[in-house]
Amino acid sequence: MAANGGVRTGAMAVAVLAANLLVLGTGGARASVPASPLPPPGPGSVLVPCSQATVRVQVTAPSHLDPSCTYSAGFDVTASNATLDCQGAAIVGSGGGSFGVGIEVRAPITDALHGVRIRNCRVSGFGNSMRVTRAGFRTLAAGVEYEHAFSDIVIEDSEVSGSRGVGIYVDGYVTGVTIQRVAVHGAGSSGVYLETGSKDNVVRDSEIVGNGFRENAAQGTVTTVGGLTVRYWGPGREGISVDSSRGNLILGNRIEGNSAGGIFLYKNCGEYHLSRADSWIERRYGANGNLIEGNTISGGLHGVWVGARMGENTWPMECSAPSYLEGPLERYVLDEATDNVVRGNAFSGSTYGVHVEDDRTTVEGNTFAGSDAGQWAVVIGTRVRTPVLDLPVRGTVLRANASTITGNATPYRWVHGEVDTTVEANVALGRVVGFCAVPELPHNPMVMMIRFAVEDPNGPATPTPDLSVPTLGPQPACAASAGGVGPTDPPGTVGGSAVPGGAVVPTFTG
């Protein structure tokens, strides 16, 4: 039974690291632990004293921490209507072993958890800083995944940093989580991860900065493929991963300087279903119907990448999804990220602001800034699916966007062919412009891999190769010609559709 009004303990290793109060956020997104003094804990809240700082604590009722202590073993929140108000206290893991989870919100799949609050916490030094999970979710049969669903789970006014893996992990078939006014810094992997089957979650008014660099460290990563020892170097991870997760709202955040880019939407191919069967998850749903609105997104190769695995070679990932094209050291499976909306965001400094590789995406009312003519506002199209399956990207809406990318007069492009794109009132450098083709974008040899080398396991490590990622670079502006695509052409009708700027909207080009 729980002691101390809902608190019980279990042993865990100790480490102490001070954390300072941090007030963060610019450009409309403010992510912070509120400035001291914090509001007092609610009535009836139970103190977790410093004497319990070195043992893992289970929280089943309103509880708060002593801000003068550093808690080293973490917390499990396992009951509805429980609150963990850290009152600015630091929760710091040992950094050893598997690292564990700093704060885990958890209930079995037979329990509908609701009314949980995690607030005013500073978490660092764990595998995942925070995780919301349904114990046993991998056993859920199709059609009953949302029985006993989670709802009204709020993580707010906190800072998580320095995790080995993901900063905040929303696990499979978890619903109803709101992450608000949270700073996520320095996660080794993605800052926030929305796992397969999760849906109807919210990430808002938060700061997600400088995450995902562990996977592109100079020493690379060693793995075994087909009996060979392989060292590979990857691009790292993105700020927010939307992996087979639906109906989420990503609103008003500052997403900056993450290794691979800002927000990636994709359907994981069911990786490592044989060699890691105990952790394999069936991907039943796509990353569909998400709204990305009012965010400030800067840096990285891609600001928002819709269908981020569609044109990527997944050969090393041992996918459970069927392939539609295979060859020596290559294997392609269909991604799924449809009916997403990217609206009213401010992009800056990304090589490709929005890259669309699946159907019925709306890209509307965004601004794009950059100082390099080789940066692009929007690129629509997918490379392998289009010629092999005759399935170009369809139904994109490209409307009322504005670009001030220096030297790029026509930054809205398609590649590999597309169908039924709506192009309306897009502006670049002060002019209404059209939409035309661009050469194929460079791709890495395999998904999440920039370089790789077969290595002698008994010999010296392979030296770090050149890890620069090739990009498209500057291209000629769209030509102003008959039936053309030029920025100064008058509005025209192409293919039966009125298009500002006389933009060409091809049906299919292969």
Side-chain angles (χ1 to χ4, degrees):
M1 297 295 293
N4 298 323
V7 176
R8 64 186 181 190
T9 62
M12 190 175 178
V14 179
V16 174
L17 177 65
N20 296 315
L21 195 65
L22 188 60
V23 178
L24 304 162
T26 60
R30 187 172 182 82
S32 67
V33 178
S36 183
L38 295 167
S45 181
V46 175
L47 174 66
V48 182
C50 296
S51 61
Q52 293 182 315
T54 62
V55 290
R56 193 162 184 94
V57 176
Q58 183 170 324
V59 177
T60 59
S63 305
H64 62 281
L65 305 186
D66 184 336
S68 70
C69 301
T70 296
Y71 295 80
S72 60
F75 295 83
D76 297 311
V77 182
T78 60
S80 292
N81 302 313
T83 295
L84 177 62
D85 186 344
C86 297
Q87 286 287 292
I91 302 169
V92 183
S94 66
S98 62
F99 290 75
V101 179
I103 299 175
E104 184 166 273
V105 179
R106 182 182 71 247
I109 55 175
T110 54
D111 291 357
L113 198 66
H114 62 271
V116 170
R117 297 290 182 273
I118 309 296
R119 58 170 61 110
N120 304 325
C121 299
R122 258 183 239 76
V123 185
S124 62
F126 291 88
N128 300 141
S129 294
M130 297 186 185
R131 189 173 192 130
V132 183
T133 191
R134 301 177 65 199
F137 74 90
R138 288 182 176 83
T139 67
L140 288 167
V144 299
E145 303 100 329
Y146 304 105
E147 294 181 2
H148 313 292
F150 283 11
S151 62
D152 191 27
I153 311 295
V154 179
I155 299 170
E156 60 188 358
D157 301 313
S158 296
E159 177 191 349
V160 302
S161 62
S163 60
R164 180 177 175 85
V166 170
I168 301 179
Y169 205 119
V170 178
D171 222 332
Y173 308 116
V174 167
T175 58
V177 174
T178 296
I179 299 166
Q180 59 188 11
R181 301 183 304 277
V182 176
V184 184
H185 289 179
S189 187
S190 306
V192 175
Y193 200 101
L194 305 179
E195 181 61 277
T196 182
S198 63
K199 67 186 184 81
D200 304 331
N201 300 297
V202 179
V203 183
R204 67 184 178 201
D205 301 326
S206 293
E207 182 174 88
I208 300 164
V209 174
N211 302 289
F213 285 91
R214 179 172 173 264
E215 295 178 17
N216 70 353
Q219 69 271 19
T221 300
V222 177
T223 188
T224 301
V225 178
L228 299 175
T229 299
V230 175
R231 186 177 297 271
Y232 70 91
W233 293 263
R237 294 305 302 256
E238 56 277 9
I240 301 178
S241 302
V242 184
D243 176 0
S244 316
S245 182
R246 301 167 290 153
N248 303 291
L249 306 178
I250 301 174
L251 310 172
N253 305 285
R254 184 160 77 93
I255 304 169
E256 179 179 310
N258 300 288
S259 182
I263 304 171
F264 289 10
L265 302 94
Y266 59 95
K267 180 181 181 180
N268 186 301
C269 69
E271 60 197 42
Y272 308 116
H273 71 294
L274 298 176
S275 60
R276 304 179 191 174
D278 57 338
S279 60
W280 173 80
I281 309 170
E282 179 184 5
R283 265 66 182 185
R284 296 169 181 162
Y285 305 102
N288 303 333
N290 299 284
L291 173 62
I292 300 169
E293 184 172 37
N295 304 280
T296 299
I297 301 172
S298 60
L301 191 63
H302 297 87
V304 171
W305 194 355
V306 180
R309 304 283 176 89
M310 189 71 79
E312 302 302 295
N313 177 10
T314 62
W315 178 80
M317 301 190 79
E318 195 186 281
C319 300
S320 59
S323 65
Y324 66 89
L325 177 67
E326 290 194 36
L329 299 181
E330 64 176 359
R331 189 176 192 272
Y332 294 90
V333 302
L334 285 175
D335 198 354
E336 183 181 349
T338 64
D339 303 291
N340 294 291
V341 176
V342 183
R343 183 170 63 206
N345 304 282
F347 294 86
S348 63
S350 298
T351 304
Y352 312 107
V354 179
H355 188 183
V356 178
E357 295 201 53
D358 208 1
D359 300 343
R360 300 184 302 280
T361 304
T362 295
V363 184
E364 182 175 35
N366 304 282
T367 63
F368 300 89
S371 58
D372 184 342
Q375 294 170 341
W376 301 88
V378 180
V379 179
I380 298 167
T382 193
R383 66 187 188 113
V384 183
R385 188 186 86 172
T386 301
V388 173
L389 299 180
D390 193 11
L391 290 175
V393 173
R394 294 175 175 269
T396 308
V397 174
L398 182 63
R399 178 188 293 129
N401 301 284
S403 171
T404 57
I405 297 172
T406 301
N408 194 334
T410 49
Y412 309 100
R413 300 294 186 109
W414 58 268
V415 63
H416 308 295
E418 51 75 43
V419 171
D420 297 331
T421 302
T422 299
V423 182
E424 296 177 351
N426 299 290
V427 173
L429 303 178
R431 296 180 176 185
V432 175
V433 299
F435 179 54
C436 70
V438 75
E440 180 170 344
L441 278 57
H443 282 258
N444 291 324
M446 297 178 190
V447 66
M448 296 193 296
M449 185 182 294
I450 299 172
R451 302 282 186 275
F452 70 94
V454 177
E455 188 170 276
D456 180 357
N458 301 311
T462 303
T464 304
D466 175 14
L467 297 180
S468 59
V469 177
T471 61
L472 182 63
Q475 300 292 320
C478 299
S481 58
V485 294
T488 59
D489 289 349
T493 300
V494 180
S497 301
V499 181
V504 170
V505 184
T507 55
F508 175 63
T509 61

